[in-house]
Amino acid sequence: MGQATIDTNGLGTLVQVLIADGYQVIGPTMTGSAIELAELTDAGELPAGWGVETGPGHYRLKRRDDDAMFSHSAGPQSWKTFLHPPRRKLWSTDADGSFQAAEEETPRYALLGVRGCDLAAIGKLRDVLGGGTHPDGSFEARHQALFIVAVNCTEPGEVCFCASMGTGPAAGPGADLTLTEMSDHFVVEAGTDAGREKLARITYRDATTDETGAARSAVEMAAHRMGRAMPEVDLRALLAGSRESSHWEDVAERCLTCGNCTMVCPTCFCTTTEDVTDLTGDHAERWQHWSSCFELDFSHVHGGSVRSSGESRYRQWLTHKLSTWYDQFGGSGRVGCGRCIAWCPVGIDLTEEVSRLAESADV
């Protein structure tokens, strides 16, 4: 099957087909003053006609002149929320010595509207949490049950830099279906047998050469309209060689070490555990929740925290993402979604910080 064309009604039918097949469809919706990810029961809940304006420490909704559904850049959430939950129960025990592992149902998610950057992020989480000798069983089960509808990006935002990270604007492999939204239709490409099976159940027609060419050109043009870019240097070597740079002190004077960047990041995966008891002390539970390398206790060992300064914690975060991640997982931890820039309360722009490091290192 080649590429196909569907209209808005076809997209609505796709949502209903996924629901009928037992999937919980998750996609972008209007929630308050942001476009957030939530369960959809109808394609009419997509944010048609809405876009966003972003910048360092800045995110605002804006009304568009058309009814485009996916012409907005990343919001405050990422798909990580559904694959690697912010908080989940691990086990419980009672005073009689009984032990119960937490019973966790595995939701069948259909993710609708996954950008190229976020599709790459899901792949990185798969390598980190689903790989190795001790994979995360909860993540594995959720990931294996996924159906992914990706969207090629044709309108990058002001803080997007996926092109310089090699993760977009075109969605890479890993999606069951990939859409390119045009003015009055979607060009669709099936990437798996599951995607072809779903497409066969909705009304479509074969895409014309003009339609596929226009879709491809729109995505190619988007690559040249990125709001940000990483400097064209060996980032791995740059960060590895910048440990003693005085620039970290400059960043530390601005950074609040609040951890916002790690919370909105689609690839940050660190967790910690906490034990809680009831008032009688007869029942205890262990919970896992997201953690951040910006927390003072994150590197706590006997005698105190290894990274006690904001300078060392910011350096750890950025160096891991762009340098030592290669040593652990064979690639970069960045995908260029720009969330860490938009949702930093003091507007720290990591692409600017890396550029300044490169200038000071004279590379």
Side-chain angles (χ1 to χ4, degrees), residues 294-361:
F294 281 96
E295 297 173 8
L296 185 60
D297 287 344
F298 186 84
S299 63
H300 184 87
V301 294
H302 179 69
S305 295
V306 174
R307 290 183 288 273
S308 59
S309 68
E311 172 188 344
S312 61
R313 280 176 271 163
Y314 187 89
R315 181 183 61 205
Q316 154 65 22
W317 173 69
L318 196 59
T319 301
H320 184 215
K321 286 292 188 179
L322 293 174
S323 182
T324 55
W325 195 292
Y326 281 90
D327 300 317
Q328 287 183 287
F329 310 116
S332 171
R334 288 278 170 215
V335 295
C337 67
R339 288 182 178 92
C340 59
I341 303 173
W343 296 95
C344 174
V346 294
I348 295 175
D349 180 344
L350 86 162
T351 63
E352 182 179 320
E353 305 307 329
V354 174
S355 294
R356 291 175 65 185
L357 279 172
E359 291 171 3
S360 63

Side-chain angles (χ1 to χ4, degrees), residues 15 75 77-78 87 102-103 138 147 186-187 189 217 224 253 278 301 309 317 324 340:
V15 172
Q77 295 165 293
S78 72
R87 181 175 171 84
E103 295 183 5
S138 174
F147 187 93
F186 298 89
V187 175
E189 183 172 7
S217 295
H224 302 289
E253 290 180 356
D278 62 10
V301 294
S309 68
W317 173 69
T324 55
C340 59

Side-chain angles (χ1 to χ4, degrees), residues 113-360:
V114 180
R115 308 281 176 176
C117 56
D118 280 331
L119 187 61
I122 291 173
K124 292 180 187 298
L125 287 180
R126 178 200 61 220
D127 295 341
V128 173
L129 299 176
T133 55
H134 301 286
D136 183 321
S138 174
F139 174 87
E140 270 199 315
R142 290 167 183 259
H143 185 267
Q144 290 172 2
L146 277 183
F147 187 93
I148 297 178
V149 182
V151 174
N152 286 325
C153 185
T154 58
E155 293 189 33
E158 294 88 343
V159 297
C160 295
F161 58 100
C162 65
S164 60
M165 299 308 299
T167 59
D176 296 286
L177 293 172
T178 300
L179 312 178
T180 305
E181 184 174 23
M182 305 304 286
S183 59
D184 59 355
H185 63 275
F186 298 89
V187 175
V188 188
E189 183 172 7
T192 65
D193 289 340
R196 284 182 278 274
E197 187 272 333
K198 298 293 186 293
L199 184 58
R201 291 161 61 188
I202 65 178
T203 300
Y204 74 90
R205 60 176 175 78
D206 292 339
T208 66
T209 301
D210 287 345
E211 287 172 334
T212 58
R216 183 172 58 254
S217 295
V219 178
E220 291 173 351
M221 289 171 59
H224 302 289
R225 301 202 313 272
M226 293 283 137
R228 296 289 190 278
M230 278 291 183
E232 295 182 0
V233 299
D234 184 339
L235 297 176
R236 181 184 185 184
L238 172 64
L239 271 296
S242 298
R243 187 179 185 279
E244 303 301 329
S245 172
S246 61
H247 182 59
W248 300 120
E249 297 179 14
D250 177 70
V251 179
E253 290 180 356
R254 292 171 280 139
C255 179
L256 304 178
T257 65
C258 64
N260 260 22
C261 49
T262 60
M263 296 299 103
V264 298
C265 178
T267 62
C268 279
F269 57 85
C270 291
T271 60
T272 189
T273 57
E274 62 176 344
D275 296 334
V276 296
T277 62
D278 62 10
L279 291 176
T280 67
D282 292 333
H283 179 80
E285 297 177 349
R286 174 162 291 180
W287 288 76
Q288 173 185 283
H289 61 80
W290 288 354
S291 185
S292 170
C293 53
F294 281 96
E295 297 173 8
L296 185 60
D297 287 344
F298 186 84
S299 63
H300 184 87
V301 294
H302 179 69
S305 295
V306 174
R307 290 183 288 273
S308 59
S309 68
E311 172 188 344
S312 61
R313 280 176 271 163
Y314 187 89
R315 181 183 61 205
Q316 154 65 22
W317 173 69
L318 196 59
T319 301
H320 184 215
K321 286 292 188 179
L322 293 174
S323 182
T324 55
W325 195 292
Y326 281 90
D327 300 317
Q328 287 183 287
F329 310 116
S332 171
R334 288 278 170 215
V335 295
C337 67
R339 288 182 178 92
C340 59
I341 303 173
W343 296 95
C344 174
V346 294
I348 295 175
D349 180 344
L350 86 162
T351 63
E352 182 179 320
E353 305 307 329
V354 174
S355 294
R356 291 175 65 185
L357 279 172
E359 291 171 3
S360 63

